[in-house]
Amino acid sequence: MSETMPDDVAIESVLNERREFPPPAGFSDAIGGAHISSIEQYREMYDRSIRDPDGFWGEIAGELDWFEPWSTVLQWESPDAKWFVGGTTNLCHNCVDRQVANGYGDQVAIIWEGEPVEGGSPEVRRLTYADLARETARFGNVLKSLGVRKGDIVTLYMGMVPELAIAMLACARIGAVHSVIFGGFSARAIADRVQDADSRIVVTCDGGWRRGAVVPLKDNVDAAAAMTDRVKTVVVLKRCGNEVAWTLDRDHWWHDLVGGVSDDCPCEAMDSEDMLFLLYTSGSTGKPKGILHTTGGYMVYTYLTSKYVFNLVPDRGQVYWCTADIGWVTGHSYIIYGILPNRVPTLMYEGAPNFPADDRFWDIVERHKVTQFYTAPTAIRAFMKWGNEHPRKHDLSSLKLLGTVGEPINPEAWMWYHREIGSERCPIVDTWWQTETGGQLIMPLPGVTVTVPGSCTLPFFGVDAAVVNDHGEQLPVNVGGLLVIRKPWPAMLRGIHGDRQRFIETYFARVPGMYLTGDGARRDERGYFWIMGRIDDVINVAGHRLGTMEVESALVSHPAVVEAAVVGMPHEIKGTGIAAFVTLEKGHDPGDELRKDLLKHVTTEIGAIARPDMIRFTDALPKTRSGKIMRRLLRDIAAGTDSDQDTTTLEDFSVMARLREADDG
Ligand code: PRX
């Protein structure tokens, strides 16, 4: 960790935020009935969940199917939590087969819309629970026939197509572990993850549609497979019809494998603590970590948060849409695993928000009569910039609830969302959580919690969140500190794949016995949480989490670069942009050509999401006498705010002057 407290967050902008929005009257009737009716009821349930977690979570878990009941609800020996110990269940069963068994096989589970719009209308597919039961069984059998066994890690690098959902659920069905890699990551990033997970099989698509162009997914897998010896089998779904290279004996078409395979593939009985998935995310070091989630607790927690936070009620005409990509945790938990057990259709959209035009999302909301809409602040800021005429062209009256996730939402964006999208009648749920937490931890409950723009408000049932100092002591009202979770919750990560030490050091060492989130926060007079941003070397770029070290390593791997320092800088749409300070080997000319080459290099090493927004060449970086880069100073320079910060430990004062003067193209 570089510094103890965040200093690059605009605390003032939210400190003065006093606007309060009471739960809109009539919300419960409008949405088809609410699960909870008052803040007092929330407090009662919350108190019980903290006082008696076994009783609380035991009852909730009973709403889902188990093959064998658990003997103990929770075993906790920090940092190791075991939930529903001894119980066996299956997540695919609870998402799919359970609905079929209860007579809902014909209901729509997934509504999928493709990106291309040909002849005026896009392709739409509606998959019922019965369709999902059949397709996940078939693909489960395909995986088995390719040698995948319980516990094996299957890498999924696909676009946002229904087959991605099918592949994930098929893994869950047969007890394989999936590792989904976002389709925007590069071949290098795939190779690193495949290698770390020791994954022998990759499922991909020929290509993916993005803004009318084809993303060459299969080419990227081919390139990744050349960088590691792990990949033995590649399954390719035909989506775009683009040309692909073919490696005999290794590559198989999805449609060839699935045709003629049996659809009899019972859901494997999984121990509650068996692994469900791995998902790589960025941390303070250069190497992404494989966050490990297990079955029972994750299932119960994502089910319950989905139910309460989005107010999901089956059979009331609700259509839920989360705009995230399944390559991120939001898509795992709140497109698939938390939503399907609630038996409300989940919408999946393949492409970009501005294709073919800037009103695509609102067109989707209108045509599918979306009732709950969940997106990210970076998207909201883009919509604001594109103009009010786009949402105003459409009938958005089906919307009943709005959600946001991924980064702090600035009050201005909140107000715009409230006014232009929610017509001032939809509650907004600002949900704070992380890849590691598996599910949402801090958020308002719709129709119940008074909201304040910029605050994620109150903890969910069972979540003992607090703002503390390094000794674990709770800080007074409005004093910023470390956001920690003091008790285990069912969906918490169970580890980092293959790195027990890093798991302990990252999350449980700084404040012993408590889960350290890596975020700074304060709590106001009402007890509401205000997230102040990361306290480690992680930045949140357009809601995508990146380690500054990852970008630095990518830059330094370029032959012209000696040293690089990467910091976040304010960015109108992305929230945080990437600023890179780079020193060069002798003989390389700092200039636009090299700058372009470095941008390309980072895109190849990690992916377009990691492309710096600014590269500044410098002959030295500001360092302390002990050789540590003073990122705080670099952040000021990148933000354009001149620094009167204490530079007494700075080794060479002239470095600062030169850095300020340097041109960044
Ligand atoms: O800094 C917090 C920010 O996103 C981080 C987690 O990123 P990731 O693991 O990629 O998961 C994103 C989707 C859950 C957090 O440490 N963050 C997430 N949601 C919010 C947020 N910051 C403020 N408000 C939020 N609602």
Side-chain angles (χ1 to χ4, degrees), residues 13 20-21 103 135 145 170 193 272 274 278 280 290 318 377 386 395 450 464 497 512 537 560 578 599:
S13 65
E20 290 193 345
F21 294 82
E135 297 308 319
S145 74
R193 285 158 176 76
S272 183
D274 275 340
L278 262 188
Y280 284 85
Q318 294 183 350
W386 296 342
D395 176 6
V450 173
D464 185 14
H497 182 65
D537 295 324
I578 303 174
L599 292 177

Side-chain angles (χ1 to χ4, degrees), residues 279-282 291 324 328-331 334 374 377 404-409 429-440 442-443 454-456 483 515 517-520 529-536 538-540 543-546:
L279 185 57
Y280 284 85
T281 190
S282 299
I291 302 299
W328 309 107
V329 74
T330 306
Y334 298 109
Y374 191 34
T404 140
V405 59
E407 51 179 315
I409 182 164
V429 291
D430 175 356
T431 60
W432 176 88
W433 59 296
Q434 311 176 294
T435 306
E436 291 88 338
T437 69
Q440 305 155 333
I442 309 181
M443 80 299 273
S455 169
C456 54
L483 177 63
Y515 169 78
T517 64
D519 278 3
F529 285 89
W530 296 79
I531 305 298
M532 292 153 62
R534 301 285 311 188
I535 54 169
D536 51 13
V538 169
I539 49 178
N540 209 316
H544 298 152
R545 183 165 152 184
L546 278 173

Side-chain angles (χ1 to χ4, degrees), residues 90 131 295 364 390 424 437-438 486 492 516 540 588:
N90 184 291
D131 292 336
T295 305
I364 293 177
H390 302 295
E424 303 188 354
T437 69
R486 295 185 291 202
M492 75 190 287
L516 184 75
N540 209 316
H588 289 274

Side-chain angles (χ1 to χ4, degrees), residues 152-414:
D152 288 352
I153 298 173
V154 177
T155 298
L156 308 178
Y157 179 73
M158 305 170 78
M160 281 285 284
V161 287
E163 286 79 3
L164 170 55
I166 289 167
M168 291 165 80
L169 290 162
C171 287
R173 189 172 195 94
I174 65 167
V177 175
H178 57 70
S179 165
V180 180
I181 302 177
F182 172 57
F185 277 122
S186 67
R188 174 84 263 158
I190 303 169
D192 289 346
R193 285 158 176 76
V194 159
Q195 182 94 22
D196 184 83
D198 192 14
S199 173
R200 307 300 165 102
I201 171 165
V202 180
V203 184
T204 188
C205 303
D206 52 357
W209 289 113
R210 189 77 193 169
R211 231 165 259 128
V214 174
V215 181
L217 297 170
K218 168 68 162 64
D219 289 357
N220 292 345
V221 170
D222 287 340
M227 297 173 186
T228 156
D229 59 359
R230 301 300 152 100
V231 182
K232 304 292 180 224
T233 306
V234 178
V235 178
V236 189
L237 178 85
K238 197 180 211 118
R239 168 60 190 144
C240 300
N242 51 309
E243 285 274 316
V244 290
W246 208 252
T247 304
L248 279 179
D249 299 332
R250 187 197 71 184
D251 297 351
H252 311 266
W253 285 110
W254 174 295
H255 55 261
D256 285 344
L257 295 173
V258 165
V261 89
S262 153
D263 56 13
D264 180 20
C265 177
C267 290
E268 194 75 31
M270 302 301 289
D271 185 276
S272 183
E273 285 301 335
D274 275 340
M275 254 167 92
L276 176 70
F277 67 83
L278 262 188
L279 185 57
Y280 284 85
T281 190
S282 299
S284 296
T285 73
K287 195 169 163 270
K289 44 196 180 188
I291 302 299
L292 208 152
H293 283 289
T294 58
T295 305
Y298 176 83
M299 170 175 89
V300 171
Y301 193 82
T302 53
Y303 157 74
L304 195 74
T305 44
S306 300
K307 177 172 169 176
Y308 278 87
V309 178
F310 300 125
N311 203 98
L312 299 179
V313 189
D315 306 319
R316 300 291 162 83
Q318 294 183 350
V319 174
Y320 164 90
W321 181 21
C322 166
T323 71
D325 192 287
I326 289 181
W328 309 107
V329 74
T330 306
H332 282 60
S333 300
Y334 298 109
I335 295 179
I336 307 293
Y337 289 124
I339 310 302
L340 291 172
N342 278 289
R343 202 164 49 78
V344 164
T346 177
L347 194 149
M348 234 179 119
Y349 168 57
E350 179 180 38
N354 53 355
F355 187 87
D358 290 349
D359 67 338
R360 180 64 184 268
F361 272 17
W362 318 122
D363 185 44
I364 293 177
V365 167
E366 179 173 6
R367 276 186 292 106
H368 295 283
K369 298 198 168 43
V370 171
T371 41
Q372 289 102 329
F373 178 75
Y374 191 34
T375 196
T378 185
I380 298 171
R381 289 190 296 267
F383 301 144
M384 290 169 74
K385 194 166 178 198
W386 296 342
N388 295 345
E389 65 271 25
H390 302 295
R392 285 183 189 172
K393 271 201 292 248
H394 294 276
D395 176 6
L396 304 183
S397 62
S398 61
L399 289 173
K400 303 293 181 289
L401 183 156
L402 304 175
T404 140
V405 59
E407 51 179 315
I409 182 164
N410 41 312
E412 201 194 335
W414 197 101

